[in-house]
Every structure is written in C-alpha cells, then in structure tokens.
Amino acid sequence: MKIFNTLNNSSTITGFILLGFPCPREGQILLFVLFSVVYLLTLMGNGSIICAVRWDQRLHTPMYILLANFSFLEIWYVTSTVPNMLANFLSETKVISFSGCFLQFYFFFSLGSTECFFLAVMAFDRYLAICRPLHYPTIMTGRLCTNLVVNCWVFGFLWFLIPIVIISQMSFCGSGVIDHFLCDPGPLLALTCTRVPAIELTSSTLSSLLLFIPFFFIMGSYTLVLRAVLRVPSAAGRRKAFSTCGSHLAVVSLFYGSVMVMYVSPTSEHEAGMQKIVTLFYSVVTPLINPVIYSLRNKDMKHAMNKLLGIQK
C-alpha cells in the first residue's frame, strides 16, 4: 500500500493527513479541552450504567444486561475516534499512519455495525416483554440473551471486514489529505489512484443493508408494541409501557436520524463541514447523552444510579 505525495521541499508523507477542525492554535486548544471533558463524561456516564447493572440485583434481567452491553459498546465506540482527535488537536503535522488509519476505519465501522444490531435486539426484547409478557421469561432466557449479545459483537465485527481489507490493499495518490477528523470511506476512496466501482457499490450495499434491515425490524417491533399498548385499559399501564420503550426509541431516533444521512451512499458528495458535524453527532454526542436518556426515563435505573452514587431519599 503506497501513497505518493510531496509537501514542502519534497518531503514524503508516511501516512494520511487528518485535517480535523482547522482553526487557530487557541481554537485547537479550546477544542481539545471541550472534547476531553465530553470524553470523560461519556466514560463516566456509560461506566455508571455498567456498574449499576452489575451491582444491583434487581437489574439482572435481559433488558438491563443488554443495556449494560450497549453502554460498554458506547465506551469503545467513542474511544475509536476521540483519543486520536485529541492528539490531532495538539499535533502540528496531523499525520496518521496507514495502519492507524485503517485500524480506526475498521473499529469505528465494526462498533457502529454492532450498535445497529444491539438496537434491533433491544427492540426485540421490548416487543417480547410487552406483547408476550406471559411467555417472556421462557423465551428470553439467560442463554438466549447471551447468544444474542455474542452474535451482535461477532456479526458487527465481520460485516465490513472484507471491504476494509480490500481498500487497505489499494494504492493511494494525490495530496493524502482527508478533510475529516477520522478515516472515513468517502475521503479514502477519493484518494485511490484508480476508482474501483465494485468496491464503492459493495460498501454502499453493505451500509444500506446494515442500516435498513435493523431499522425496519425496530420499526416493526415498535408498531406491534404500540398496538399492544393502546389496548391496555389503564392509563397507568400505558404510561409504564411507554416509559419503558421511550428511552430506547429516543436513542434509535438520535442514532439512525444522523447515521442514515452519511452512510447509505458512502461515496456520495457531502460538504466536508456537514460530514464532520453529522459524524460528530452520532459518534460523540449520542454516546454522551444516551446514559442521561436511559437514567431519566427509567425508575429502576434512576434508583440504581442514586444508590451507586450514594444518593438516598
């Protein structure tokens, strides 16, 4: 894998250049502080959910086990981008090595794929709990829950493996500059010496399947849930069911609402500024606010979090 480029006195680039967020030095330092705080808050929020589920016996149910795994996933998802972004803010050259670029490419997309599968599994869990409550304990057993979790991780990390390996073996020409804060397929494919339509089509197809199949599954599950909830005679029962599903629907809306804009067609023309903002939202902002959404809308989780933090009423 080679990249041909000369900058300033014909010095050879040893990797790609991630432009990130170009601004004066003072702005770079301000962004470093801001994203450092966001990163720490994300780790603390999702880590708190994991600890609450681990230490509160009442939360040892499939719903909260899936939530704890989802929080663990969010920690690694944000870790695949933010630490390198922070280093980029303080770097003069903003160079990322070939191996570093494609490792980030692989882990970012694998973790994003895993998130799509987890959101679908969590919707399936809510469907069983509300639409088939009497059969729920016998269907959603600990063994099934474990199998679903394992399959989410395995399929997530295999989904984009072959296209990423193929792209990593291609030759790259031109400036080597990626106008983004991470190694994204669109800018990477634009830097290849020769366009390979088959790879672009494969990436687009896999992205579309990954997004739309779980999305339609989630929407189908919640359509059945909504129909079942509206048949509940008591208003209190309906409120309880809606509060149980509301947090998950909010997370689904935040994630899918932004990610669909970018990766249904990874080589489509988007302005670089819009690419960065949308990617920043679903890869950094969403993992930050997910713990807040789940904690505020769920009484059991709120109680466990208060207990974990030593706040007793």
Side-chain angles (χ1 to χ4, degrees), residues 143-156:
R143 182 177 180 178
L144 177 60
C145 184
T146 301
N147 288 337
L148 289 173
V149 168
V150 171
N151 284 328
C152 284
W153 285 99
V154 171
F155 282 109

Side-chain angles (χ1 to χ4, degrees), residues 11 28 60 70 77 89 104 136 140 173 215 225 290 293 310:
S11 60
Q28 296 282 312
H60 290 184
F70 187 74
Y77 192 42
F89 288 138
Q104 183 187 63
Y136 180 76
M140 186 56 77
C173 303
F215 180 74
V225 166
N290 282 353
I293 295 173

Side-chain angles (χ1 to χ4, degrees), residues 155-175:
F155 282 109
F157 274 77
L158 291 178
W159 193 262
F160 281 105
L161 179 60
I162 294 177
I164 292 175
V165 170
I166 293 174
I167 294 172
S168 70
Q169 301 305 311
M170 298 171 69
S171 296
F172 296 86
C173 303
S175 64

Side-chain angles (χ1 to χ4, degrees), residues 215-229:
F215 180 74
F216 286 132
F217 181 84
I218 292 168
M219 291 300 100
S221 297
Y222 276 109
T223 299
L224 296 174
V225 166
L226 179 62
R227 194 170 70 175
V229 168

Side-chain angles (χ1 to χ4, degrees), residues 24-41:
R25 184 65 177 173
E26 295 77 10
Q28 296 282 312
I29 294 174
L30 180 61
L31 288 173
F32 174 83
V33 174
L34 174 64
F35 282 103
S36 295
V37 173
V38 168
Y39 182 54
L40 290 175
L41 289 176

Side-chain angles (χ1 to χ4, degrees), residues 39-227:
Y39 182 54
L40 290 175
L41 289 176
T42 303
L43 297 183
M44 291 170 60
N46 287 283
S48 296
I49 287 182
I50 295 171
C51 292
V53 174
R54 173 67 180 84
W55 292 333
D56 194 322
Q57 293 290 330
R58 294 178 303 174
L59 301 184
H60 290 184
T61 62
M63 172 182 171
Y64 294 108
I65 291 172
L66 290 172
L67 178 56
N69 276 274
F70 187 74
S71 294
F72 180 73
L73 167 66
E74 292 287 66
I75 288 175
W76 286 107
Y77 192 42
V78 75
T79 300
S80 69
T81 56
V82 174
N84 185 73
M85 191 195 310
L86 295 176
N88 199 316
F89 288 138
L90 302 180
S91 172
E92 294 291 340
T93 61
K94 302 187 183 301
V95 171
I96 183 172
S97 66
F98 287 111
S99 58
C101 183
F102 280 97
L103 278 174
Q104 183 187 63
F105 185 8
Y106 174 68
F107 280 104
F108 179 72
F109 274 83
S110 295
L111 291 165
S113 303
T114 305
E115 181 157 344
C116 291
F117 293 131
F118 260 110
L119 290 173
V121 168
M122 293 166 78
F124 175 64
D125 175 72
R126 291 301 83 208
Y127 159 75
L128 289 178
I130 293 174
C131 297
R132 305 186 66 182
L134 297 180
H135 299 93
Y136 180 76
T138 57
I139 297 176
M140 186 56 77
T141 60
R143 182 177 180 178
L144 177 60
C145 184
T146 301
N147 288 337
L148 289 173
V149 168
V150 171
N151 284 328
C152 284
W153 285 99
V154 171
F155 282 109
F157 274 77
L158 291 178
W159 193 262
F160 281 105
L161 179 60
I162 294 177
I164 292 175
V165 170
I166 293 174
I167 294 172
S168 70
Q169 301 305 311
M170 298 171 69
S171 296
F172 296 86
C173 303
S175 64
V177 174
I178 297 176
D179 191 4
H180 213 306
F181 61 85
L182 55 80
C183 290
D184 199 59
L188 276 174
L189 289 172
L191 291 173
T192 55
C193 297
T194 56
R195 290 193 62 182
V196 184
I199 295 298
E200 296 178 4
L201 178 62
T202 301
S203 297
S204 179
T205 302
L206 287 175
S207 297
S208 299
L209 290 174
L210 175 69
L211 291 174
F212 284 111
I213 291 177
F215 180 74
F216 286 132
F217 181 84
I218 292 168
M219 291 300 100
S221 297
Y222 276 109
T223 299
L224 296 174
V225 166
L226 179 62
R227 194 170 70 175

